[in-house]
Amino acid sequence: MKKQLIRLLFCAGLLLGLLTVGAAAGYSGTPKQPAGSGTAESPYLISSAEELYWFAGLVNGDSNAIGNEGSQNTAAWAVLTNDISVNDKVLNPDGTLSDNVDNFTRWAPIGNTSNNYTGTFDGRGFTISGLYYSGDASYIGLFGRVGSGGVVKSLRVADSYLRGGGNVGGICGFNAGTITYCDNSGAVTGDNNIGGICGYTVSTVMYCSNSGAVSGNISVGGVFGGSDRAANADPGVPDDLISNCGNSGAVTGVQKVGGVGGKIQYEDPAPLVIRYCFNVGTVDGDSEVGGVCGDNLKSNGISECFWLDTTCAEGFGHENGDIAEAKTADQFASGEVLTLLNLAYVDPWRQALGTDPYPVLDGSQNVVIQSGDGYKNLVFDEEGFCAEN
């Protein structure tokens, strides 16, 4: 019981910020340097869209944003101190793009082909909303490219529209670093390697969720579009690159389309790539379509993953097979899937039985435990003691 309480408090501390909603300021069009020096000891304190644009300019080496006397820094550290709104009402209530695009300020992703972001960006649970980019360029997202050693954590992207050519994601276009505790509810679309969190990843994506609509042509997924384990030479990266992630957004593509990932590939010896993940969003495509993964080039690349059996006609994806399991809506709602997801790590998933139809990354919710032939919420009182055994 003590172990469960410690786990609950640990997750609550890490994830409660994801639910924080504060006052958001719009973008005035003039980048502004935030307080701080960009080091681990004194990170930039970003509280407005003006400061966010300045930070993007700092990483990208854009003198128009940071001034001619500014010095580029791709490894700068930063934290959010407030919710930030770049544009207002980018998406309509039904999730489609607003007709007011001519008045939107275009977003310039943090990091690009020449400048990988290698610092640490801590969102502290705040939300960045109103990002807008529509074009044919690649590496599009809040971050364009996160390089080896780069960390992006604890933030949400909402009410945003990101459309590019290849490698497009709500959080980042390309990831060779670490993405944790991030959430996207904006619309993401493009041609190939399109994902709700990352367009293409060769490194760690953990504790992330997507509820936004994701669409593209080839390699399209609710969490990531494409992944290549062999491309990552860092021995410190866990074998299961994508773990404890969930998707509830609609995923639409043509080929290699999956609820969690579009395509995974790697060389022997083949490690696990997707583990402890689930999908409850609809998945639609013409070929190589899967409830969890559309194209899995090795039969043992997926483990302990689950998908809602009504979301996808070809739930097992590629003919080489994955071992994702189809589950009914009742199995998701009852706590059965949550219990299976929480067999490892720090039990990040929570669920209010009778209210939440599927697991959520919300540390304030109660723990679900197996009780006899069923499942129940483990409730704690105000002093942190177990109120129900």
Side-chain angles (χ1 to χ4, degrees), residues 89-90 92 96-104:
K89 296 181 180 179
V90 170
N92 296 314
T96 58
L97 179 63
S98 168
D99 294 331
N100 193 34
V101 295
D102 291 341
N103 296 318
F104 291 155

Side-chain angles (χ1 to χ4, degrees), residues 248-266:
S248 59
V251 182
T252 306
V254 178
Q255 185 180 15
K256 308 181 191 306
V257 187
V260 175
K263 177 183 179 180
I264 58 176
Q265 65 184 53
Y266 40 83

